[in-house]
Amino acid sequence: MLQPLGYYIYCRETGSEEWQTVNNKPVTCNEFTVPGLKPGKEYVFCVKSVGEAGLSESSPETDPIVVRPAIARPSAPRGFVLLSCGKTNMTIGWKPPKRKGGTKILGYFLDQHDASELDWHEVNIQPIPQRIYTVSNLEEGHLYEFRACAMNMAGVGEVSEPSDLFKCEEWTMPEPGPPYDVRFTEVRDSSLMLHWQAPLYAGAGPVTGYYVDMCEEGTEDWKQINKQSIATTHMKVSDLDTGKCFIFRVRALNKAGIGPPSLPSDPVVAKSKSGTNEIELGVDEEGFIYMAFEAPEKNDSSEFIWSKDYEGPPDTNRVQTEEKGNKSKLILKDPSEKDLGIYSVEVTDVDDDISASCTLTQEDLDKLLKRSHEIRNPLIKLISGWNVDVLEKGEVRLWLEVEKLSPNAELHLIFNEKEITSTPTHKINFVKGKGLVELIIQNFCDDDKGVYTAQLQDGKAKNQFTLVLLDESFAKVAKEADAKKREWKKKQGPYFVENLKWKVDKNCEVLLTCKVSISMQCNAMQLHSLLTLRICIYVCQITKADEGQYKAVVSDDRGEDYTQLDLTKGSRRTLYVYTYMVIVLIETFEELLKELCKISDAPGFPLKFQSFNYTALSATPLKIQPTDEGIKIYTDVKYYTDYMKTTWFHNEKRLEIRDRLKAGSTMNQIWLHILNPTDTDKGKYTLELFDGNDSHKLSTDLSGQAFEDALAEHRRLKEAAIAEKCRARVVQGLPDVATIMEDKTLCLTCCISGDPYPEITWFKNEKIITFKDRYRMDVKGTVVTVTIEKVCNEDTGKYTIYVKNKYGSETGQVTISVYKHGEIPVGIEEKEVPSETTIKKPE
C-alpha cells in the first residue's frame, strides 16, 4: 500500500462557503499550527492527503472551533493614589494593567519603600484580589512610595514604576477625600458612561454629591460638566465631539465643602469601536421577554456583568441569565412595571471596553407583552368587529368577520353567559372559509337584550369578541327594527302617505286631513285617497274638551296602518343625539287657538268673536302663593295674549314695577311677584284687565293673618331652597358604563359641590373602598379622581361615589368592564391603548 506524500489543511470561517488553504507545501506530520486566525472568530477545518496519483477526498469537517487570544503575563499596574491616611497606616489604590494578558487578573503583589531607607519591602505574600490595600505599621511623618505587579494564569507580570512619595500623617481635613477608580463604559461617537468609587475618607460628614470635570488630552483646561452636584457614582456624558480624546476626574462634596479631585481617568476617544454591538431587546420563541448581548472578543475567563440602573445586579427573583458561547441573555421572569429602567452589561478581563446599555420603557414593555401574549396565545385575526344590521323585514343581523379558518375551526356563541344554538328564530351561520359569524334574529325584543360573545378556536389560535346590547344601544336597534318591521308590514296593505295634520278654513272650522295609499291586488295599482275629518266647531265654541289625541286607522286583510295627531296643551317631544339634548317644543293646541284668533278678526268674518273679552271673563279670583323668593299673587285665565293690557294696584295706588316687584304672564296665568317681602307690602292688591272695550278688576287682601302665614311659608321655602342649593351634589357625574383593557391605568373623574364641603366615600359593589396599593383618590377643589393602576378582571363592577354634608347627600355611579388582551369590545377599534385612561362624562 502506497504511503501519502503529505497533507494539505483547509479552513473556513463559520457562515462562509469559501475554503482557504492553510499550508503552501504538504506537511508530513499529523499536527500543524494554523497561523493568521482572528481571535473571537469561529472556524471549521478539514484535511486532504496528497500522493503520486494526486489529492484525496476531503476528510470530515471538524466541529466549529472558537479562536481564543493567546495568554500572556499582564503588564504593570499604574496610577497609585493615597485614598486615606492615619498616624501609622495608609490606604493605597491603583489602576489595573493596560494589558491583562488575555485572561483574568488573579491578584496583586505590593511593595513599600521608606524614603529614609535603601531597601524595598514586600507588603503581602498572598496576592491581593482588589486594587486597594491598607498598609500598616508605618512611621508617622515618614515618606513612603509603593510599587506593584499583577498575576494571571500565565504568571506574574512586570513590576510597576514607583508611586509618588506619600507622607504618613493622619488626615483631619473636614472635606472628603478623593473619589477613585474613575473609569468609563459604553463609549460611543458622542457619549460615554462614567463610573467612580466613593471616597474612603468622608471628612466632617457624609458625602452628599459629586462634580465631574473634563478636559481634552494634552491640555490642563479642566471644565466642570454638571452645574448641580449629582448623588450617584455614575453619570452619562453626552454631546462629546466625535474623534476627540478626553480625560475625566471627579470631586466629592460634603457639608464642609468640595474635596480634592480623583486621579484622572485614562484618556478615551469619543468614537464607537468598529463592530460594536448593542443590547438586543426581544421575545423568544417561547414568549419570554429577554435582553441579549453578544461579545465575540471575550476570552475564556471573561464574564458578563449585568446591572440595573447602574446600581448593581438585577433582582434574581425577577430575572434569570443564560450564557452560550459569546452571548449572554437576561430573561424577565414575570414582566411588569417593576422591571422598567436601564439595563447595562460589561465584559470583564478584556483590554478594550466591551459594554452596552438599553432602557426598558413602558411603551417597550407594552409592545413586548403584546408580542409575548401573541406567541403564547396566538389570536385569530379580526377583520371586522361586531356589526349590527336591521334587515328590510325588521330582522336584526349580528355579524363579524375574521381571517379565513380551517374546516376544523370551532364556534361557541355565548349569550348572557349561556351558549346558544341555531333555531328558526335565532339562526346561526358560521362560514369557516370566509371567517364569517352571523346571527339573524327574527323578532327582536327585550329577551334579546344582553351580551353576545363569539368564542373561536382554530388549532392553537383562538380569540373571542364581545358585543354589548344594553340600554341605549339596545333601544336604538329595537326602535329601528320595530320601525322597519312596521314599515314593511304596512306596505303589504293600505298605509298612510301623509299623516294627520290640522288647518283652519275661512269659516273658522278646524279640519284634520291625511292621505292613504291603497294597493289594488288585481293590477298592483296605487290609489291615493284624501281623507278629511271636519270638526264643525266655530272659534267661539272651541273648548278644552276638544283637546286630545286624534287617530286614524286604515286596514284590510293584509295589514293595517295608523296615524295620530297630538292636540294637547304643551305637548313636547324630546330628541336625544348621543350626549347632547335637543328639545323641540310643539305648542300644538296653542298654535291652533292663535290661528283661530287671526281668522276671527279678518274682514267679513261671519261671527263677532271677542277673544280678549273671553280671556278677561275667564280669569279666576286672585290667589296668594308663597315662594322661596317672596309672595306671588296671580290669576288663571283660559288664554292670554300680549294684546291685552294689565295693570297692578297696591292700596288703590298704581304699582311701578321695580327691583322687588316683578310682573308677568304665561299662556294661562297673569302674576305679580313680591320679592323679599316686608311689612310695607301689606294691603290690598288689585289687577285691572282691559279687553279693548271694558275694564275688569280682581282684588285680594294681603294683610293680617294672611300676610303672616304667607311670610312664614316664604321663609320656610327660602330655607329649603338654600339647603337644596348648598347640599352635597355630584355636579358632573360619571358615565353609565366604562370599558378598559386589563393592565392599563383607569382614572374615574367627577365634580362635586356643597357648602360646607362634602364628605366623600367611594363604594365598589356596595362595599367601602380602602385606598391603598393600586387604588388612589385625589381631591383638587371640586374635582375628585379615583385612580386604579394595572386594572384586572377583579376590578370589574359597580363603583359609587357618595357625598354628604349637613344639608343632604347624593350619589353617582359607573359600571367598569375590564376586557382581556386580544379582545376588542364593540365600538372600539383595534389600536394602541394609552397607558392611562381617564373616564369622565361629557358636559
Side-chain angles (χ1 to χ4, degrees), residues 719 722-724 726-728 755-756 804-809:
E719 290 176 1
I722 292 173
E724 179 64 19
C726 296
R727 74 174 177 86
D755 186 14
K804 176 184 178 182
N805 64 8
K806 68 179 183 178
Y807 291 114
S809 63

Side-chain angles (χ1 to χ4, degrees), residues 762-779:
W762 279 87
F763 297 85
K764 175 187 174 185
N765 295 333
E766 300 181 358
K767 293 184 179 180
I768 295 178
I769 296 176
T770 301
F771 290 96
K772 63 179 183 178
D773 299 333
R774 296 186 300 111
Y775 285 70
R776 186 176 74 253
M777 180 175 74
D778 296 314
V779 180

Side-chain angles (χ1 to χ4, degrees), residues 265-300:
S265 70
D266 290 339
V268 56
V269 177
K271 187 171 180 60
S272 299
K273 188 177 68 174
S274 177
T276 298
N277 290 330
E278 300 295 347
I279 293 176
E280 174 192 356
L281 185 61
V283 181
D284 63 21
E285 294 178 354
E286 296 180 357
F288 290 104
I289 297 174
Y290 70 86
M291 282 164 272
F293 183 71
E294 186 173 7
E297 303 89 346
K298 72 181 286 290
N299 55 54
D300 290 337

Side-chain angles (χ1 to χ4, degrees), residues 232-490:
T232 60
T233 56
H234 58 268
M235 187 179 82
K236 184 167 185 177
V237 183
S238 304
D239 301 324
L240 299 174
D241 293 334
T242 304
K244 289 188 177 181
C245 187
F246 299 94
I247 301 174
F248 299 89
R249 70 183 186 188
V250 183
R251 295 171 292 149
L253 171 71
N254 67 8
K255 65 180 182 180
I258 302 175
S262 67
L263 197 69
S265 70
D266 290 339
V268 56
V269 177
K271 187 171 180 60
S272 299
K273 188 177 68 174
S274 177
T276 298
N277 290 330
E278 300 295 347
I279 293 176
E280 174 192 356
L281 185 61
V283 181
D284 63 21
E285 294 178 354
E286 296 180 357
F288 290 104
I289 297 174
Y290 70 86
M291 282 164 272
F293 183 71
E294 186 173 7
E297 303 89 346
K298 72 181 286 290
N299 55 54
D300 290 337
S301 65
S302 295
E303 296 179 0
F304 291 93
I305 306 298
W306 287 90
S307 177
K308 173 88 181 313
D309 296 323
Y310 301 103
E311 295 177 355
D315 185 356
T316 54
N317 293 324
R318 303 202 60 77
V319 302
Q320 69 180 50
T321 56
E322 294 180 358
E323 290 188 16
K324 184 177 181 181
N326 296 331
K327 194 170 185 178
S328 177
K329 182 185 286 188
L330 189 74
I331 300 172
L332 302 184
K333 294 181 180 179
D334 184 18
S336 72
E337 293 178 356
K338 296 179 181 179
D339 298 306
L340 302 180
I342 302 173
Y343 291 83
S344 58
V345 61
E346 297 181 47
V347 179
T348 65
D349 304 328
V350 290
D351 293 334
D352 293 326
D353 168 57
I354 303 176
S355 58
S357 69
C358 74
T359 302
L360 181 62
T361 65
Q362 183 66 57
E363 182 180 2
D364 294 331
L365 183 60
D366 289 343
K367 292 180 180 178
L368 293 168
L369 285 171
K370 182 179 179 182
R371 178 59 183 153
S372 173
H373 182 78
E374 290 173 351
I375 292 175
R376 295 183 180 184
N377 304 284
L379 294 178
I380 294 174
K381 184 179 179 182
L382 180 69
I383 295 177
S384 177
W386 276 110
N387 298 273
V388 181
D389 295 336
V390 179
L391 305 181
E392 181 184 10
K393 297 181 181 180
E395 300 164 316
V396 174
R397 177 180 181 243
L398 312 179
W399 65 277
L400 63 85
E401 185 179 2
V402 299
E403 60 184 322
K404 294 181 180 179
L405 303 175
S406 73
N408 297 323
E410 297 179 3
L411 166 68
H412 298 279
L413 191 57
I414 311 299
F415 173 62
N416 291 342
E417 301 182 354
K418 293 183 179 180
E419 184 171 358
I420 61 175
T421 57
S422 185
T423 65
T425 59
H426 292 70
K427 185 178 180 181
I428 300 174
N429 295 320
F430 183 28
V431 185
K432 302 176 182 179
K434 295 182 178 180
L436 178 65
V437 177
E438 180 183 65
L439 172 64
I440 298 177
I441 304 172
Q442 281 193 359
N443 298 308
F444 195 72
C445 60
D446 285 345
D447 292 341
D448 301 305
K449 181 190 299 184
V451 180
Y452 296 81
T453 301
Q455 296 178 348
L456 294 166
Q457 183 161 0
D458 192 2
K460 282 186 64 177
K462 58 183 179 180
N463 211 337
Q464 68 176 33
F465 308 97
T466 299
L467 170 66
V468 179
L469 278 181
L470 294 169
D471 302 328
E472 291 185 9
S473 60
F474 173 82
K476 182 180 178 181
V477 176
K479 182 178 180 181
E480 184 180 354
D482 183 66
K484 282 201 173 183
K485 181 178 180 180
R486 180 170 169 266
E487 185 71 16
W488 179 83
K489 186 177 180 180
K490 80 174 185 179

Side-chain angles (χ1 to χ4, degrees), residues 607-658:
L607 297 176
K608 181 63 177 176
F609 174 60
Q610 298 293 341
S611 59
F612 296 162
N613 180 265
Y614 176 71
T615 300
L617 293 176
S618 69
T620 64
L622 289 179
K623 301 175 184 178
I624 299 173
Q625 178 186 358
T627 69
D628 61 331
E629 296 180 295
I631 300 175
K632 183 179 179 181
I633 302 173
Y634 70 95
T635 177
D636 292 323
V637 296
K638 293 293 185 181
Y639 183 73
Y640 175 78
T641 71
D642 295 335
Y643 299 105
M644 291 190 65
K645 293 181 181 181
T646 60
T647 308
W648 285 92
F649 297 87
H650 179 216
N651 294 330
E652 308 303 333
K653 182 180 178 181
R654 180 170 179 169
L655 284 175
E656 297 293 333
I657 302 304
R658 53 187 184 274

Side-chain angles (χ1 to χ4, degrees), residues 219-237:
T219 72
E220 290 296 329
D221 185 16
W222 290 97
K223 296 180 180 178
Q224 183 176 300
I225 297 177
N226 52 320
K227 294 181 180 180
Q228 301 293 330
S229 65
I230 60 172
T232 60
T233 56
H234 58 268
M235 187 179 82
K236 184 167 185 177
V237 183

